[in-house]
């Protein structure tokens, strides 16, 4: 069966209070309205994935 896949990928800081996501692309900030982005998928069978990246602190050899 043939399929058509529609996706949007945004990487940035989410502001839940303002319902926005702000990307930094080549030293330029671009802000998008999350409700507008999600509205494109209203009524559709979709998958939502949110990933957070954070640095881990290495083990300090002096603590051992």
């Amino acid at each position: 069966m043939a399929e058509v896949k529609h996706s949007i990928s945004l990487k940035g800081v989410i502001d839940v209070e303002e319902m926005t996501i702000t990307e930094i692309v080549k030293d330029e900030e671009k802000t998008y309205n999350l409700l507008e982005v999600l509205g494109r998928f209203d009524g559709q069978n979709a998958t939502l994935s949110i990933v957070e990246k954070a640095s881990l602190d290495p083990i300090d050899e002096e603590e051992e």
Side-chain angles (χ1 to χ4, degrees), residues 2 5 25 32 42 44 59-60 62-63:
K5 184 176 181 179
V25 181
Y32 301 92
D42 188 35
Q44 303 301 314
I59 296 174
D60 187 1
E62 293 178 9
E63 291 179 8

Side-chain angles (χ1 to χ4, degrees), residues 4 7 14-17 27 29 31-32 45 52 55 61:
V4 174
S7 67
I14 295 175
D15 183 330
V16 175
E17 189 173 308
D27 297 327
E29 287 189 7
T31 301
Y32 301 92
N45 185 8
E52 176 190 25
S55 298
E61 292 182 16

Side-chain angles (χ1 to χ4, degrees), residues 14-32:
I14 295 175
D15 183 330
V16 175
E17 189 173 308
E18 295 293 322
M19 289 304 295
T20 60
I21 184 165
T22 301
E23 291 185 305
I24 298 177
V25 181
K26 296 181 181 177
D27 297 327
E28 181 182 357
E29 287 189 7
K30 296 184 178 186
T31 301
Y32 301 92

